[in-house]
């Protein structure tokens, strides 16, 4: 028994007996063959001609700089206004005695989650105090406390606007898509020119970045309010504002609180990133500063402080969203009273929180141990890194033709080897054709072209036609036109080579995440014990801000492309694990019972029932993995990647608005195209399964 079914072609029968997918693959293969054969004599087929490249970066820079100069007075006025709540929150958190702050976190934990959450608040803030980073941590919290209400108000307003006016809903959702796909560093370049250097830039960037999750959840929550509740509000004679604010918004509270949770986590993540230009003595700046000094023990300690904050905020806000029960308020006030009493007892003679350094010796020991480990195993680590670079990453980047050299492989790749390589690929494709697998045959040939040429060296017509063919199969003519137009903007802007470099590194990372994450998700689906072990690891990885992922890879492999690859994989693998496990274990029971009744074995049930039914969910996980990889790609520019991420980071340092926005838009285009393609295939599978 199998629930697998091929999605129907959109346009009926196709010529020569080929399916829609077969024709798409055939067109891509023919285009690739033509460009590879004619490339040596027609260079314009490989490299886009310079005379046809438009100075888009300069145009964007000139236009934006003029616009930013026009609104700069208002922006600086707003910046000056926001500096007051920023300074107030900073003063309040730093001047409040640390026992009272810890007691407040413990009391809030008790109120929303009972004993376990109270212990989390107590131990978490206790760790922050013992780390010696109390003042820096309070500065970071000040940024979060001011930026989050601003983001919540923005998100609430945008969500209500999209809900109340269906005509603007599509526009709002498109803007939210753009905001969530544009790399975070790209936000900072124009904000730096508008608001100047300082913590307020981080505050505003954090609010802008954190608003879309809130807006999406407000819209989703309002749309999910039961029609009976809405009808009751109408029949009671309430005005439209009364219906919205007194009935529908309270009914959507659970979903809105999920948005609050996501907003908090996004704000914390962005606050750390904004430390690059904030010049503020917060914990993000400490991480960046110690990383630059190669003080990895201290950097790891500061990173752990961020992780602790992320876990505490995530768990408490998540409990606030999920749990209806609230615990005894008298205990809440009692905990606060104890904190106040301890603060009064220690007033004027208590230990300075900056004097705590319980983990300084541990950080020093980590540095010494790391030095000893790298000295003893440096050759093995270097060999592992070089093996991955020379035999995996570099061939995928510039192709076997350019990567196979006597220095690395022991021999030189020749034209005869290319012919043999293509002959073997053609033989495998012919075997697949003989068995009626037209699409597989085409995919073998395409993979051979990519491997021999390299992703970063692919001819532009091959990429355009290949992406268009995928879009045709995934979403039809409209998606095809959208993909071609969007890729053309990158092509004409002169960012094509950098875009291919970004596509290479993110693509390799996503492939690794799909293979490894899919395998782990499969293991967790068949083994509850494995899931109990893996799940808390996934929870922890999803709460760690992006910045922190750079620390462990730098500790062992220093800067470079391989370190960036590992950081991207560590950040992007979690959705693949979660969605694979979720899809495989949530097959409807009636399908499982029917398979068991028909005599199917456990493997047959997994292969023929669970896996096909889980494909839409797994594709959603792949979609999230792609978006996570692109998000991390820009952060990885801090440790030596090339491509669009590096351009965005350089633009930030040079205050080059044109380059920053153009490169950010190009990366957002790549992410948006990947998102739409995967969503289209997932929708096809859902239709095929009758979902």
């Amino acid at each position: 028994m199998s629930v697998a079914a091929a999605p129907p072609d959109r346009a009926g029968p196709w010529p020569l007996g080929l399916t829609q997918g077969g024709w798409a693959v055939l067109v891509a293969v023919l285009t690739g063959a033509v460009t590879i054969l004619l490339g040596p004599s027609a260079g314009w087929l490989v490299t886009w001609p310079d005379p046809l490249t438009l100075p888009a970066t300069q145009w964007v820079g000139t236009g934006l700089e003029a616009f930013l100069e026009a609104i700069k007075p208002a922006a600086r006025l707003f910046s000056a206004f926001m500096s007051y709540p920023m300074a107030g929150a900073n003063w309040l958190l730093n001047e409040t005695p640390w026992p009272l702050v810890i007691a407040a976190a413990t009391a809030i934990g008790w109120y929303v989650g009972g004993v376990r959450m109270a212990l989390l608040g107590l131990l978490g803030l206790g760790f922050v105090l013992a780390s010696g980073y109390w003042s820096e941590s309070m500065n970071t919290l000040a940024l979060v406390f001011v930026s989050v209400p601003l983001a919540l108000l923005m998100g609430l307003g945008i969500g209500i606007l999209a809900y109340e006016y269906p005509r603007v809903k599509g526009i709002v959702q498109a803007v939210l898509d753009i905001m969530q796909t544009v790399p975070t560093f790209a936000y900072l370049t124009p904000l730096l020119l508008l608001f100047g250097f300082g913590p307020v830039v981080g505050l505003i960037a954090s609010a802008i970045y954190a608003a879309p999750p809130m807006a999406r959840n407000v819209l989703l929550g309002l749309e999910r309010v039961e029609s009976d509740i809405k009808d009751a509000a109408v029949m009671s004679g309430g005005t439209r504002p009364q219906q919205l604010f007194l009935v529908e918004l309270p009914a959507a509270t659970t979903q809105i609180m999920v948005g609050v949770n996501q907003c908090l986590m996004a704000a914390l993540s962005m606050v750390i990133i904004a430390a690059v230009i904030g010049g503020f003595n917060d914990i993000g700046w400490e991480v960046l500063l110690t990383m630059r000094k190669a003080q990895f023990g201290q950097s790891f300690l500061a990173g752990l402080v961020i992780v602790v904050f992320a876990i505490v905020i995530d768990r408490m806000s998540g409990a606030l969203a999920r749990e209806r029960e609230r615990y005894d308020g008298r205990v809440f006030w009692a905990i606060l009273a104890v904190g106040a009493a301890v603060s009064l007892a220690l007033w004027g003679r208590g230990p300075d929180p900056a004097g705590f350094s319980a983990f300084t010796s541990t950080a020093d020991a980590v540095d010494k141990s790391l030095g000893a480990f790298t000295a003893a195993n440096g050759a093995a680590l270097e060999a592992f890194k070089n093996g991955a670079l020379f035999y995996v990453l570099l061939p995928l980047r510039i192709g076997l033709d350019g990567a196979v050299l006597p220095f690395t492989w022991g021999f030189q790749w020749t034209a005869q080897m290319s012919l043999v390589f293509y002959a073997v690929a053609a033989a495998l494709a012919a075997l697949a054709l003989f068995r009626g697998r037209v699409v597989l045959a085409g995919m073998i040939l395409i993979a051979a072209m990519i491997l021999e040429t390299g992703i970063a060296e692919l001819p532009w017509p091959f990429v355009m036609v290949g992406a268009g063919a995928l879009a045709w199969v995934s979403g039809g003519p409209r998606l095809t036109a959208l993909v071609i137009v969007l890729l053309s903007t990158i092509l004409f802007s002169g960012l094509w080579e950098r875009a291919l470099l970004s596509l290479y590194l993110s693509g390799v990372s996503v492939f690794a995440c799909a293979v490894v994450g899919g395998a782990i998700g499969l293991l967790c689906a068949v083994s509850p014990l494995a899931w109990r072990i893996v799940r808390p690891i996934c929870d922890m990885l999803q709460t760690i801000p992006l910045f922190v992922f750079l620390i462990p890879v730098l500790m062992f492999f220093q800067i470079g492309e391989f370190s960036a690859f590992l950081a991207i994989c560590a950040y992007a693998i979690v959705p693949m694990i979660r969605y694979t496990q979720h899809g495989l274990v949530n097959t409807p029971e009636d399908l499982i019972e029917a398979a068991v009744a028909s005599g199917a074995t456990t493997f047959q049930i997994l292969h023929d029932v669970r896996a096909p039914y889980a494909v839409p969910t797994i594709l959603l996980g792949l979609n999230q993995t792609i978006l996570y990889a692109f998000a991390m790609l820009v952060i990885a520019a801090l440790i030596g990647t090339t491509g669009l991420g590096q351009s965005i980071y350089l633009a930030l340092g040079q205050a080059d608005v044109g380059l920053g926005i153009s490169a950010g838009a190009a990366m957002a285009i790549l992410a948006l195209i990947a998102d739409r393609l995967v969503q289209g295939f997932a929708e096809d599978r859902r239709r095929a399964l009758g979902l």
Side-chain angles (χ1 to χ4, degrees):
M1 176 182 177
S2 174
V3 298
D9 287 332
R10 292 181 175 81
W14 291 77
L16 303 179
L18 294 178
T19 63
Q20 184 182 24
W23 270 103
V25 169
L26 177 62
V27 171
V29 169
L30 291 177
T31 304
V34 170
T35 53
I36 289 174
L37 288 173
L38 299 182
S41 58
W44 61 270
L45 281 175
V46 178
T47 304
W48 181 253
D50 288 336
L52 297 181
T53 300
L54 302 176
T57 299
Q58 290 83 351
W59 292 349
V60 170
T62 302
L64 275 177
E65 285 176 6
F67 174 72
L68 294 177
E69 284 296 326
I71 65 172
K72 183 183 287 187
R76 293 298 170 96
L77 183 63
F78 180 72
S79 176
F81 172 76
M82 292 304 299
S83 66
Y84 290 106
M86 181 70 246
N90 191 49
W91 176 86
L92 179 64
L93 287 171
N94 277 284
E95 295 300 320
T96 301
W98 58 263
L100 187 57
V101 175
I102 294 176
T106 307
I108 294 171
W110 162 264
Y111 183 68
V112 301
V115 175
R116 293 180 63 182
M117 205 66 70
L119 285 175
L120 177 65
L122 176 63
L123 296 177
L125 271 292
F127 174 81
V128 173
L129 177 67
S131 70
Y133 283 120
W134 183 261
S135 178
E136 293 85 354
S137 300
M138 293 303 102
N139 292 338
T140 297
L141 276 187
L143 279 169
V144 174
F145 282 176
V146 179
S147 64
V148 166
L150 188 60
L152 292 177
L153 288 174
M154 291 169 56
L156 183 64
I158 294 170
I160 291 174
L161 176 68
Y163 176 69
E164 288 293 296
Y165 300 97
R167 290 184 178 180
V168 303
K169 177 182 173 182
I171 299 173
V172 167
Q173 288 183 324
V175 171
L176 293 178
D177 286 342
I178 293 171
M179 290 178 68
Q180 288 194 299
T181 52
V182 170
T184 49
F185 275 173
Y187 283 30
L188 301 181
T189 308
L191 292 179
L192 181 64
L193 292 180
L194 273 178
F195 299 103
F197 188 81
V200 175
V201 183
L203 185 155
I204 295 170
S206 178
I208 293 173
Y209 182 68
M214 181 64 183
R216 289 188 185 279
N217 280 280
V218 168
L219 177 59
L220 183 61
L222 290 172
E223 289 178 338
R224 288 183 174 179
V225 174
E226 297 289 341
S227 58
D228 293 345
I229 297 176
K230 297 178 182 179
D231 293 340
V234 173
M235 294 176 65
S236 66
T239 63
R240 182 58 199 149
Q242 289 174 329
Q243 295 171 29
L244 178 64
F245 290 101
L246 299 181
V247 178
E248 295 179 19
L249 280 173
T253 298
T254 301
Q255 189 66 46
I256 291 174
M257 290 307 299
V258 172
V260 173
N261 171 259
Q262 295 180 2
C263 182
L264 280 164
M265 298 307 295
L268 180 61
S269 178
M270 190 63 185
V271 161
I272 305 304
I273 294 169
V276 175
I277 63 168
F280 191 46
N281 187 28
D282 62 352
I283 197 67
W285 180 251
E286 285 297 319
V287 172
L288 184 63
L289 191 62
T290 50
M291 279 175 54
R292 287 174 174 171
K293 293 179 179 178
Q295 297 173 344
F296 293 117
Q298 205 65 32
S299 180
F300 192 68
L301 177 60
L304 283 179
V305 172
I306 298 173
V307 172
V308 167
F309 269 130
I311 292 174
V312 171
I313 291 173
D314 177 60
R315 295 298 184 272
M316 289 189 179
S317 60
L320 196 63
R322 290 189 306 270
E323 297 181 14
R324 293 293 183 184
E325 179 185 1
R326 294 293 174 253
Y327 291 79
D328 195 339
R330 292 172 296 181
V331 177
F332 173 88
W333 292 111
I335 295 172
L336 283 181
V338 171
V342 173
S343 299
L344 287 173
L346 297 176
W347 192 273
R349 57 180 180 273
D352 184 357
F356 287 92
S357 56
F359 302 106
T360 301
S361 59
T362 305
D364 293 338
V366 168
D367 279 332
K368 291 179 181 177
S369 300
L370 180 63
F373 178 82
T374 52
N377 302 279
L381 291 173
E382 191 70 15
F384 177 67
K385 180 175 74 172
N386 290 338
L389 279 172
F390 293 141
Y391 303 117
V392 180
L393 294 179
L394 194 59
L396 288 171
R397 178 179 177 177
I398 62 175
L400 293 171
D401 189 24
V404 178
L405 300 170
F407 172 70
T408 53
W409 289 66
F411 61 91
Q412 177 73 48
W413 189 268
T414 63
Q416 290 77 14
M417 291 180 181
S418 294
L419 291 175
V420 172
F421 180 76
Y422 280 126
V424 172
L428 293 174
L431 180 61
L433 280 176
F434 179 75
R435 295 185 175 182
R437 307 291 297 275
V438 177
V439 174
L440 177 61
M443 295 303 295
I444 291 172
L445 293 175
I446 290 174
M449 294 177 193
I450 292 174
L451 188 56
E452 203 274 341
T453 305
I455 298 173
E457 305 291 330
L458 289 173
W460 63 266
F462 181 45
V463 177
M464 297 282 286
V465 172
L470 271 177
W472 183 274
V473 178
S474 172
R478 293 183 63 181
L479 182 58
T480 303
L482 177 65
V483 167
I484 296 299
V485 169
L486 291 177
L487 287 178
S488 297
T489 61
I490 301 178
L491 192 62
F492 281 99
S493 68
L495 297 172
W496 185 258
E497 289 78 11
R498 281 173 273 189
L500 286 184
L501 286 171
S502 297
L503 184 64
Y504 140 73
L505 188 54
S506 58
V508 172
S509 303
V510 167
F511 180 78
C513 290
V515 173
V516 178
I520 296 173
L522 174 61
L523 175 64
C524 294
V526 299
S527 171
L529 175 61
W531 181 232
R532 284 196 295 270
I533 296 172
V534 171
R535 183 176 182 178
I537 298 174
C538 290
D539 290 342
M540 183 190 68
L541 289 174
Q542 283 200 302
T543 55
I544 297 175
L546 284 75
F547 221 77
V548 182
F549 283 92
L550 303 181
I551 299 173
V553 296
L554 284 176
M555 290 171 66
F556 295 102
F557 298 105
Q558 287 77 48
I559 63 172
E561 194 169 273
F562 182 66
S563 296
F565 167 74
L566 292 179
I568 294 170
C569 289
Y571 179 66
I573 196 172
V574 174
M576 201 66 211
I577 296 173
R578 285 191 179 278
Y579 280 82
T580 301
Q581 188 273 342
H582 179 76
L584 290 173
V585 301
N586 283 278
T587 308
E589 287 299 324
D590 55 343
L591 291 177
I592 303 298
E593 292 172 1
V596 172
S598 67
T601 64
T602 302
F603 176 78
Q604 288 173 327
I605 293 174
L606 180 64
H607 183 270
D608 296 330
V609 180
R610 291 188 183 274
Y613 193 87
V615 166
T617 304
I618 295 172
L619 285 174
L620 290 178
L622 178 63
N623 182 35
Q624 290 297 304
T625 295
I626 292 170
L627 296 179
Y628 276 41
F630 275 106
M632 190 65 189
L633 191 62
V634 183
I635 309 301
L638 290 168
I639 57 174
T641 63
T642 54
L644 294 172
Q646 184 188 51
S647 298
I648 295 169
Y649 182 61
L650 292 176
L652 180 61
Q654 300 165 0
D656 188 340
V657 180
L659 178 59
I661 294 298
S662 298
M667 188 169 285
I669 286 172
L670 294 178
L672 186 63
I673 289 173
D675 173 67
R676 293 296 184 265
L677 290 175
V678 175
Q679 283 191 27
F681 285 117
E683 183 61 31
D684 267 351
R685 290 302 309 165
R686 281 192 290 268
R687 282 198 299 266
L689 294 169
L691 300 177

